[in-house]
Amino acid sequence: MITVNDIYNARETITDTINNTPILESTQLSSICKNQMFFKAEHLQQTGSFKIRGATNKVKRAAQEGSSFVTAASSGNHGQAVAYIANQLGIPATIVVPEDANESKVNAIRSYKGKIEKCGMTSSERLPRAVEVAKENNGMIIPPYDDPLIIAGQGTVGLEILEQIDHVDVVVVPIGGGGLISGILTAIKETKPSIKVIGVEPETAKDTFISLQEGKITSIPPTITIADGLRTTHPGTLTFPIVKRFIDDIVLVSEVQIKQAMTFVLQRMKQLIEPSSAVTVAAAMFDKLGVYDKNVVCVLSGGNVDIQQLNAFIVQ
Ligand SMILES: *Cc1c(COP(=O)(O)O)cnc(C)c1O
């Protein structure tokens, strides 16, 4: 397991590349939730999500160890992050995406000079292809969450929250493969264990929820949710033990609650976040957290929305 020292090291490695993102507040949501509500604005991060933190930590170390090529199997925020940092470091990157990958995401990867390779429709087809691509180019595959350097990079979000807000009581974090929450848990529980950390998943993608109930990594069938960053079918082998050890609570939100939260943030807070981020706001808005009169920080994990799809995410 990683320690908070790994997260301090990650911070040194990535500090020149990433933004120390601001904390936002909402008086209106604070009164709805009966808590003082804060938001860690990773949708304002380089490449539009926190994924650049872990990717930068991993790719910089790979470069130091002599790697001169990287690849990732992701059409989403992780693929963009790997393409961006590889380009910054002058290392070629190939991102393996599904055949039906969304054009705006593919274009974002291309804008960072990442080479696109289309392969299959599922991650079980893409991953072996990325392994081959790495071999063919004598390079390294950059995993999206199940890696100590990735987890440590994501954990820097936790360090910043501790420094930016006095007297944090509760931190609310979305869970996909669990890289973000396991990094934040390590940063927070090793520094100030009295702070509660609550995870959020969509009702339709509750693999970590089920795994915690079962006490072991448990797979669920492929899921459908508008929160496309949270569509994992099981937590990671490195992330799950950290989640299991430290998490205080895990709650679920429905698809319509995610849309209502996204709409609220856009309309009232004037911020564009993506559905995977909106789960934390939904958990607060719909009274899932079970805490009152506390300082609550929701992590807004990303803001990459295909503008063509925006209408489908908004409710009146
Ligand atoms: C990847 C991602 C998540 C989930 O992070 P994990 O480390 O996989 O748990 C949440 N929100 C956004 C915007 C993401 O890109």
Side-chain angles (χ1 to χ4, degrees):
M1 268 195 214
I2 69 156
T3 70
V4 72
N5 272 332
D6 297 308
I7 303 177
Y8 282 112
N9 289 338
R11 176 147 77 173
E12 249 170 56
T13 305
I14 72 176
T15 189
D16 295 341
T17 304
I18 64 136
N19 298 336
N20 188 335
T21 53
I23 300 288
L24 311 177
E25 291 183 56
S26 163
T27 330
Q28 203 176 7
L29 201 62
S30 293
S31 84
I32 294 172
C33 303
K34 303 183 182 68
N35 284 301
Q36 192 61 39
M37 297 299 302
F38 299 91
F39 305 88
K40 176 63 171 160
E42 286 294 295
H43 64 301
L44 305 177
Q45 185 53 268
Q46 294 289 347
T47 74
S49 86
F50 73 90
K51 289 277 198 322
I52 192 62
R53 294 173 182 265
T56 298
N57 198 33
K58 181 78 182 171
V59 176
K60 279 196 175 170
R61 300 284 185 99
Q64 281 163 8
E65 286 159 15
S67 273
S68 55
F69 178 92
V70 292
T71 180
S74 155
S75 62
N77 292 338
H78 178 61
Q80 290 184 34
V82 170
Y84 175 88
I85 185 60
N87 187 39
Q88 292 279 308
L89 299 174
I91 298 172
T94 295
I95 310 299
V96 185
V97 306
E99 297 287 356
D100 66 343
N102 176 311
E103 266 313 293
S104 71
K105 290 188 169 166
V106 168
N107 286 338
I109 292 169
R110 286 210 178 100
S111 77
Y112 302 135
K113 310 275 188 338
K115 204 175 139 206
I116 297 286
E117 178 159 330
K118 293 196 171 171
C119 174
M121 299 297 269
T122 64
S123 60
S124 57
E125 295 164 272
R126 262 191 319 282
L127 210 52
R129 181 60 199 135
V131 172
E132 273 174 30
V133 170
K135 271 212 189 102
E136 286 164 11
N137 294 279
N138 202 10
M140 184 182 268
I141 187 159
I142 309 298
Y145 54 84
D146 218 13
D147 179 283
L149 291 169
I150 298 283
I151 296 170
Q154 321 304 33
T156 57
V157 174
L159 294 184
E160 288 174 24
I161 289 172
L162 290 171
E163 289 162 2
Q164 286 173 295
I165 307 169
D166 291 333
H167 310 299
V168 178
D169 298 304
V170 180
V171 181
V172 189
V173 189
I175 306 181
L180 178 61
I181 195 168
S182 52
I184 290 177
L185 280 166
T186 304
I188 287 182
K189 294 295 181 177
E190 287 192 20
T191 310
K192 198 174 168 214
S194 61
I195 297 176
K196 268 192 171 187
V197 178
I198 301 178
V200 190
E201 287 188 304
E203 282 171 1
T204 53
K206 55 178 179 182
D207 50 302
T208 298
F209 182 90
I210 301 269
S211 298
L212 285 167
Q213 270 185 341
E214 299 287 324
K216 60 180 199 301
I217 296 173
T218 307
S219 289
I220 61 168
T223 52
I224 300 177
T225 169
I226 59 167
D228 59 352
L230 312 182
R231 265 179 210 155
T232 43
T233 54
H234 57 84
T237 53
L238 297 182
T239 57
F240 185 67
I242 302 173
V243 173
K244 190 176 161 191
R245 176 167 173 203
F246 287 130
I247 200 171
D248 292 285
D249 198 5
I250 181 165
V251 300
L252 303 175
V253 292
S254 71
E255 296 296 292
V256 67
Q257 288 171 337
I258 297 171
K259 291 181 192 176
Q260 283 171 322
M262 228 182 111
T263 308
F264 178 91
V265 172
L266 187 59
Q267 197 165 34
R268 303 288 170 202
M269 296 172 61
K270 323 297 175 195
Q271 302 291 318
L272 179 60
I273 61 170
E274 62 183 276
S276 301
S277 270
V279 299
T280 61
V281 182
M285 268 176 84
F286 297 102
D287 202 13
K288 309 268 182 181
L289 302 177
V291 297
Y292 305 98
D293 299 320
K294 302 288 186 206
N295 289 336
V296 176
V297 189
C298 289
V299 177
L300 302 181
S301 49
N304 291 326
V305 179
D306 178 11
I307 222 77
Q308 314 281 345
Q309 274 185 298
L310 185 56
N311 209 27
F313 298 153
I314 297 301
V315 286
Q316 301 305 322

